[in-house]
Amino acid sequence: MTTTKTASEAYATADQALYEAAFRTEDYAGARALLETAHSAAIDEGDRATEAAVLYDLGMVLHYQGIAKLVRELPVPDADVREEEELFNLALTLRRELGDAAGAAKPLFGLGLVHQVFRQDWNAAMLHFWQALDLVELVEATG
């Protein structure tokens, strides 16, 4: 008997694969494939929260790949940086539409990483980091 995973179950598997790729295996293609499957499932189910989480992780796939290239002193294609930024922006838009302040902090942090690591623009990075911190502190204060 074949069982089909829900979007959130598929995301949990994909999320684990992302961090395995980032810190152990560098199997970014495998992680991306799992994330794309989870993304399709989230869209099919209308699960916008999982969709936002997947979009964030897809951005992080590109981020970790970029860092791996930098460590090897290889260039990071501008198209990859633009795609990473777009994925974080899409995740942020969904989180804001859902009224999810805590969830919005992650893509804001991701946008800060784009500016810090790939654009070397600390001022723009800090704007995103401070916004993320403000949201986390707001959530903590209001429960």
Side-chain angles (χ1 to χ4, degrees):
M1 174 166 74
T2 302
T3 58
T4 303
K5 289 184 178 183
T6 65
S8 62
E9 291 168 338
Y11 169 68
T13 300
D15 186 57
Q16 181 64 38
L18 165 63
Y19 292 102
E20 286 289 319
F23 298 108
R24 293 186 59 216
T25 66
E26 291 194 21
D27 181 13
Y28 298 111
R32 186 174 185 114
L34 289 170
L35 285 163
E36 288 171 352
T37 298
H39 187 242
S40 294
I43 290 170
D44 290 347
E45 293 173 21
D47 184 347
R48 298 179 79 215
T50 298
E51 181 182 358
V54 170
L55 290 168
Y56 172 81
D57 274 13
L58 284 167
M60 290 306 296
V61 167
L62 290 166
H63 189 74
Y64 290 128
Q65 284 179 304
I67 289 173
K69 288 175 184 171
L70 290 175
V71 166
R72 292 175 178 89
E73 298 183 4
L74 298 171
V76 178
D78 289 339
D80 288 359
V81 175
R82 286 191 303 273
E83 182 182 0
E84 178 183 339
E85 184 175 30
E86 180 62 22
L87 288 163
F88 290 144
N89 275 314
L90 289 169
L92 178 59
T93 298
L94 278 174
R95 292 294 186 189
R96 286 179 170 161
E97 288 174 359
L98 293 168
D100 182 2
K106 284 179 77 173
L108 280 167
F109 179 76
L111 288 166
L113 291 175
V114 169
H115 290 285
Q116 175 191 17
V117 175
F118 299 120
R119 297 205 173 115
Q120 289 81 47
D121 184 345
W122 283 91
N123 291 328
M126 289 309 298
L127 288 173
H128 289 94
F129 293 150
W130 285 117
Q131 287 177 47
L133 179 62
D134 287 346
L135 288 175
V136 170
E137 288 176 342
L138 175 67
V139 170
E140 286 179 353
T142 60

